[in-house]
Amino acid sequence: MYTFPIQKLNEVETPFYYYNMQLLDDTLNVIKQEAEKYRYHIHYAVKANANKRILERINTYGFGADCVSGNEVLASLDAGFTGSKVVFAGVGKADKEIIIGLENDIACFNVESIPELEVIDEIAGRMSKTAKVALRINPNVKADTHKYITTGLEENKFGINLWDLEKVLDKVEELNNIEFVGIHFHIGSQITDLISFQMLCNRINELQELFVKRRNIPKIINVGGGLGINYENPDKNPMPDFEAFFKVFDEFLELKEGQEVHFELGRSVVGQCGTLLSKVLYIKEGVNTSFAIIDAGMSDLIRPALYQAYHKIENLVSQLEEEKYDVVGPICESSDCFGKAVSLPKTVRGDLMAIRSAGAYGEVMASQYNLRTLPKAVYSDEI
Ligand code: LLP
């Protein structure tokens, strides 16, 4: 059980993100151990949390970095990742971002369209470089998750649709400054039912026939990220079942000789190690409910407002009888609500509250809306 150093945390000005570095280390160790069984390559999806200390720590485990902007590429390099371990994805890479990738000899651009291929080819030519590319293919596999974070269906903006693939491959073969190294997929995020990944494997197996037919076998099969975490019960499930996850790919993915399998895990790496800490400002009696108004808002953690996401909320200091509260932030938006009718021990002004499982897509999605100060980060090994 990973506990909070409540006394110390109580002295820090709220709101802030607290990272349990021990849990991060334990998670990274398990991922490393389970992935090594099959020689799988892991690229951490920087978008989940680009905090420098977290990136530095992840780099020490020998993983690569999966980036979706020029600045993420730079942040990864700055945290110690070498260019050869950086992949760069995203549906809209700007010219200057492509240049950053080429200058730093990154492992691969994940490319999503013919126009993008042409632009990368042109820029690489100008810079006398060869751009390594993987094609992001839309596998049309449905992931059972929130509609904002499913990505692998034909109606999404992501990836090359299956019926366009031959055309794109013709293009790749025609361009001089492009080297085709792999194929890339990502079906969505916060996926807890492993059957979706099994379906992805089946789809990839079917697709491989096309590459065999064309005698152009991709070296890398990048299956993306998406493994979910348990938001309901973070103490009982501090990390996902990585063993079962990798096993699905071992069991169902049929590889050709020399092929490598790559993963881009984000949420499953950092989700549970982060907590948003906040103090209660006021208790306000409403018509039917009491509101616990806390000093963290949707500007600090936007997931509940944006995706109706559930985050477990705890009062870390009270041990009184339970009551029900709507836990809301100070921002001038009705959606600035972390939870409705939440059972909490009787809560008063000044109580320290924990909003759990906020390590992924928390701090990194914070904004200054209402001109608020960005939340700071505190680490378990520094406090
Ligand atoms: N690879 C690609 C191509 C992706 O688009 C994503 C996430 C990942 C990897 C990492 O996925 P993960 O392992 O973290 O599921 N802000 C949303 C999640 C957006 C996910 C975007 N793509 C949230 O807070 O739930």
Side-chain angles (χ1 to χ4, degrees):
M1 172 96 169
Y2 301 90
T3 52
F4 291 100
I6 295 173
Q7 257 174 350
K8 288 181 185 159
L9 293 176
N10 233 334
E11 285 159 25
V12 182
E13 191 187 355
T14 49
F16 63 94
Y17 277 90
Y18 171 69
Y19 294 107
N20 187 324
M21 300 305 275
Q22 185 60 52
L23 174 53
L24 178 62
D25 275 326
D26 292 349
T27 308
L28 290 166
N29 271 317
V30 171
I31 296 174
K32 193 173 164 74
Q33 182 191 324
E34 294 302 325
E36 268 173 6
K37 279 189 191 163
Y38 312 108
R39 302 197 186 173
Y40 288 163
H41 298 243
I42 309 294
H43 289 88
Y44 165 65
V46 174
K47 65 171 84 65
N49 189 319
N51 179 304
K52 186 160 185 208
R53 275 219 59 202
I54 302 239
L55 288 182
E56 283 172 348
R57 185 65 62 97
I58 293 172
N59 176 50
T60 64
Y61 286 76
F63 300 145
D66 160 42
C67 303
V68 287
S69 71
N71 284 346
E72 282 192 0
V73 172
L74 294 174
S76 305
L77 296 170
D78 193 39
F81 291 89
T82 54
S84 62
K85 287 211 160 177
V86 169
V87 301
F88 185 5
V91 64
K93 302 176 193 76
D95 295 17
K96 65 175 182 194
E97 296 181 303
I98 294 169
I99 292 170
I100 290 173
L102 289 167
E103 274 171 354
N104 292 289
D105 296 319
I106 61 167
C108 169
F109 290 89
N110 294 338
V111 172
E112 307 218 2
S113 68
I114 290 184
E116 187 193 341
L117 265 179
E118 289 171 337
V119 170
I120 295 178
D121 178 68
E122 203 251 323
I123 297 175
R126 247 193 282 144
M127 295 172 69
S128 308
K129 298 253 184 189
T130 301
K132 294 196 196 106
V133 305
L135 297 178
R136 174 159 182 188
I137 301 169
N138 187 336
N140 202 23
V141 169
K142 190 167 176 353
D144 186 19
T145 184
H146 190 277
K147 64 176 184 302
Y148 284 10
I149 50 177
T150 172
T151 46
L153 278 178
E154 282 159 4
E155 68 224 44
N156 292 122
K157 69 176 174 184
F158 298 105
I160 297 159
N161 282 324
L162 296 172
W163 58 84
D164 283 331
L165 189 54
E166 290 246 38
K167 226 170 40 195
V168 181
L169 283 168
D170 290 342
K171 189 50 124 185
V172 168
E173 286 165 15
E174 176 195 314
L175 296 172
N176 291 327
N177 309 305
I178 297 283
E179 182 189 343
F180 172 60
V181 296
I183 49 178
H184 172 225
F185 305 85
H186 175 74
I187 55 173
S189 199
Q190 184 50 22
I191 298 166
T192 47
D193 186 351
L194 296 181
I195 195 101
S196 300
F197 295 111
Q198 185 181 327
M199 279 157 53
L200 173 63
C201 292
N202 294 339
R203 186 54 52 87
I204 297 174
N205 295 341
E206 285 164 31
L207 252 173
Q208 291 248 49
E209 295 314 310
L210 174 69
F211 296 97
V212 172
K213 196 183 86 195
R214 295 182 66 109
R215 293 170 200 270
N216 193 357
I217 309 268
K219 177 154 189 259
I220 297 166
I221 311 276
N222 182 336
V223 295
L227 178 61
I229 60 170
N230 189 324
Y231 283 95
E232 278 73 30
N233 207 334
D235 289 321
K236 219 165 150 201
N237 299 281
M239 62 183 88
D241 189 348
F242 291 106
E243 184 182 358
F245 174 68
F246 290 125
K247 199 152 173 256
V248 168
F249 293 89
D250 180 56
E251 223 168 284
F252 295 99
L253 196 57
E254 293 160 12
L255 297 178
K256 308 288 171 202
E257 211 184 303
Q259 280 185 328
E260 295 174 1
V261 185
H262 291 214
F263 291 81
E264 299 169 342
L265 298 176
R267 189 192 315 264
S268 53
V269 183
V270 291
Q272 298 290 31
C273 77
T275 304
L276 177 59
L277 284 152
S278 175
K279 279 190 179 159
V280 177
L281 291 172
Y282 306 104
I283 300 294
K284 180 175 158 183
E285 300 301 332
V287 184
N288 301 314
T289 31
S290 305
F291 292 98
I293 303 169
I294 62 175
D295 63 6
M298 63 191 277
S299 58
D300 304 299
L301 177 66
I302 202 175
R303 303 194 68 257
L306 190 57
Y307 315 114
Q308 299 84 46
Y310 172 80
H311 285 261
K312 189 169 189 204
I313 303 170
E314 292 168 347
N315 182 326
L316 293 183
V317 291
S318 169
Q319 279 160 6
L320 302 170
E321 284 278 295
E322 291 212 336
E323 291 183 14
K324 288 213 189 302
Y325 298 89
D326 284 5
V327 180
V328 301
I331 309 261
C332 302
E333 300 266 354
S334 305
S335 57
D336 186 25
C337 174
F338 290 109
K340 283 199 184 306
V342 184
S343 289
L344 292 169
K346 188 174 169 52
T347 295
V348 297
R349 174 175 164 86
D351 282 358
L352 186 65
M353 310 292 282
I355 304 178
R356 305 288 306 273
S357 314
Y361 308 107
E363 188 185 354
V364 83
M365 288 179 83
S367 78
Q368 287 193 291
Y369 185 39
N370 285 194
L371 273 193
R372 285 166 56 83
T373 309
L374 285 172
K376 300 250 173 333
V378 170
Y379 310 88
S380 58
D381 55 0
E382 280 181 3
I383 191 171

